[in-house]
Amino acid sequence: MATFSAADLSSKPRHMGGHGNAVVVYGSVTPAAGTLGDVYRPVIIPAGVDVTDVDIVSDDLDSSGTPAMACKVGYSPLSPEDGPMADDDYFAPAGTTLLRNAGRTSLAFQPVRFEKPVYLIITLTASSATFASGKVTAIVKGDGVGIR
């Protein structure tokens, strides 16, 4: 199992005011494989954000006529000691097929607040039939409420 991170993963989060304001962070990763258990980390969600929307924009990563690639979308802490506890399918459950074809997918979930920064993670739950390298972009939107 391999982990592929965006080249600018640590530099994407921007400073936000302490009075609450709109926050949009995005990042892209270009994985070199699509094997069961691979983890893609396109963006860091900064601390102090109420996340309300996540969109995934992907190239067609499974070029087979009958694609098999599936994933789940969640988050994991930058520092496991600091938390929060990882939830690898919070934003989308296992078996989600958004990487099979090129396009943009909006994910449905209950809004969540992060007091510590987290990685948005896409974990493959089924390998691609025929992997084709491409870009996967995560766009995270929410309200910057600051940390407690």
Side-chain angles (χ1 to χ4, degrees):
M1 294 185 300
T3 299
F4 304 94
S5 297
D8 57 353
L9 184 62
S10 295
S11 64
K12 272 297 182 184
R14 306 286 193 254
H15 177 73
M16 65 185 104
H19 303 290
N21 54 339
V23 173
V24 177
V25 293
Y26 64 92
S28 300
V29 61
T30 306
T35 306
L36 173 69
D38 283 354
V39 176
Y40 304 159
R41 298 188 307 194
V43 71
I44 293 173
I45 301 170
V49 175
D50 282 340
V51 177
T52 57
D53 296 288
V54 173
D55 289 351
I56 304 294
V57 181
S58 176
D59 292 335
D60 182 354
L61 300 184
D62 196 342
S63 62
S64 175
T66 55
M69 188 176 228
C71 66
K72 55 188 171 181
V73 183
Y75 59 85
S76 67
L78 267 64
S79 171
E81 298 81 34
D82 292 341
M85 180 179 285
D87 187 342
D88 65 0
D89 65 353
Y90 186 83
F91 300 118
T96 300
T97 60
L98 58 93
L99 303 176
R100 288 184 183 178
N101 298 301
R104 183 176 185 138
T105 304
S106 294
L107 306 179
F109 58 92
Q110 293 298 325
V112 59
R113 176 177 295 173
F114 292 106
E115 296 295 332
K116 301 286 183 175
V118 296
Y119 294 108
L120 183 135
I121 57 171
I122 301 169
T123 306
L124 298 190
T125 57
S127 297
S128 65
T130 307
F131 182 77
S133 185
K135 187 188 296 188
V136 178
T137 300
I139 305 165
V140 178
K141 296 171 265 185
D143 187 27
V145 296
I147 55 176
R148 287 186 236 165

